[in-house]
Amino acid sequence: MTAKSLGDRGEALAAQFLEARGWRVTHRNFRMGRKEIDLVARRGEVVAFVEVKTRGGLGYGHPLEAITWKKRREIAQVAQAWIDRHGRPGETYRFDAVAIVLHAGGGPAIEHVEDAWRL
């Protein structure tokens, strides 16, 4: 499985996971130039900018370890662009992370970290 197909599968699984918990995914791969937010999800007045990290195992560490400060700043820049275009008065914005580990022969392990970081 290529890194791109692994990432695409992880984003699809994350979207299904969030939707099963009452979130509505409004945007996938929202871009500003070369930077992007994997998922933008809404539940009530809360909008979550979601970074999804998927691994085929834990050989390279836990998926959440790959969300660096540089990546967080980039996501914040794209989030501001999204808010400028789509934001509504009264909404609360936050940054979430979804970590997915695909185990050979078993189902995926999915972890949703709400309000994963602040800037």
Side-chain angles (χ1 to χ4, degrees):
M1 183 177 291
T2 68
K4 169 105 172 79
S5 64
L6 183 69
D8 290 347
R9 178 153 184 238
E11 288 176 15
L13 287 168
Q16 291 172 355
F17 181 87
L18 292 171
E19 288 171 345
R21 284 152 183 79
W23 291 89
R24 183 170 52 88
V25 175
T26 62
H27 292 88
R28 291 182 188 216
N29 305 114
F30 181 82
R31 300 187 77 77
M32 182 182 80
R34 298 178 58 105
K35 301 169 187 170
E36 76 171 15
I37 296 172
D38 294 330
L39 302 173
V40 180
R42 177 187 304 274
R43 184 167 64 186
E45 296 300 315
V46 176
V47 174
F49 302 105
V50 183
E51 177 67 5
V52 179
K53 289 296 181 188
T54 307
R55 297 286 181 264
L58 295 175
Y60 292 101
H62 192 278
L64 295 178
E65 294 172 7
I67 305 175
T68 64
W69 280 107
K70 179 181 177 190
K71 183 65 175 174
R72 292 174 187 188
R73 283 192 309 267
E74 289 177 358
I75 293 168
Q77 292 170 345
V78 182
Q80 188 58 59
W82 186 94
I83 292 166
D84 292 345
R85 293 181 201 164
H86 304 286
R88 301 177 193 156
E91 289 180 327
T92 300
Y93 303 103
R94 71 181 199 202
F95 299 100
D96 285 12
V98 174
I100 300 175
V101 178
L102 302 175
H103 299 286
I110 301 175
E111 178 183 358
H112 177 204
V113 180
E114 297 182 4
D115 208 10
W117 70 86
R118 294 179 186 232
L119 299 176

